[in-house]
Amino acid sequence: MTVETTAVRSAEQRRRDLLERLEREEDIWVASADSAGVPCLVALSFLWDGEAIWLSTRRSNPTGRNLGEPGRPVRLSLAHTRDVALLEGRVADVVRVDEVPAATANAFAAKAGWDPRHPRNGHAYAYHRVLLTEVQVWHEIPEMPGRHLMRGGVWTV
């Protein structure tokens, strides 16, 4: 039996920690589903712009097709399984690489270490701007209560 020794963070501290992780971490797990409900889970580079999460992937792969129209649901998670950040949202916009704001594309490329505006092997990429609707953050069992930091697209802290 493991004894929990981690101090429970306040909701405000969890939010600060999450926002720092969104700035620092390079990849995010992206779960999507097609119209038949077949799930797809991949890790993608991302950019948090303070309001939305920007993803980029080939338009022709399963994730690109699953997120290919505004309104599509998506679930995101940062990598560490004992410091959970579970984010739900909806695709707000699907933006062609030649239409993405230059500042966003430049920031994405700098953070990701690659640039979707320069296709790899002739594949066409798109950006997907995801607005968050639900956010849960917890570090192991002691932080399960109070883990909901956003509901209905509104921060609760």
Side-chain angles (χ1 to χ4, degrees):
M1 176 161 77
T2 302
V3 176
E4 298 292 337
T5 58
T6 304
V8 176
R9 297 172 294 172
S10 68
E12 293 82 7
Q13 184 62 51
R14 291 183 211 189
R15 181 177 173 179
R16 285 190 298 272
D17 292 348
L18 170 66
L19 294 175
E20 188 274 328
R21 287 180 74 188
L22 288 171
E23 293 290 333
R24 175 179 40 88
E25 294 196 23
E26 296 174 355
D27 298 317
I28 196 163
W29 286 103
V30 179
S32 61
D34 66 16
S35 59
V38 177
C40 181
L41 177 66
V42 298
L44 293 177
S45 300
F46 76 100
L47 174 71
W48 168 250
D49 70 4
E51 177 183 305
I53 291 178
W54 289 81
L55 307 167
S56 187
T57 190
R58 291 190 326 249
R59 295 186 312 197
S60 61
N61 70 19
T63 301
R65 291 190 306 270
N66 294 350
L67 303 181
E69 60 188 54
R72 294 299 305 241
V74 60
R75 183 171 278 182
L76 309 163
S77 181
L78 296 170
H80 198 294
T81 58
R82 294 199 179 225
D83 193 7
V84 178
L86 185 59
L87 317 169
E88 293 184 38
R90 297 221 171 256
V91 174
D93 300 296
V94 180
V95 184
R96 292 179 5 178
V97 294
D98 60 341
E99 295 177 343
V100 70
T104 300
N106 292 338
F108 185 99
K111 184 177 184 227
W114 68 280
D115 193 336
R117 294 172 294 181
H118 306 292
R120 298 174 174 181
N121 303 322
H123 295 290
Y125 283 75
Y127 289 88
H128 306 272
R129 188 172 71 94
V130 175
L131 293 177
L132 299 178
T133 57
E134 308 289 327
V135 172
Q136 298 178 56
V137 176
W138 71 92
H139 181 83
E140 298 188 350
I141 293 170
E143 288 191 356
M144 292 286 291
R147 67 186 173 270
H148 295 272
L149 303 184
M150 178 185 282
R151 292 181 188 263
V154 178
W155 291 101
T156 61
V157 293

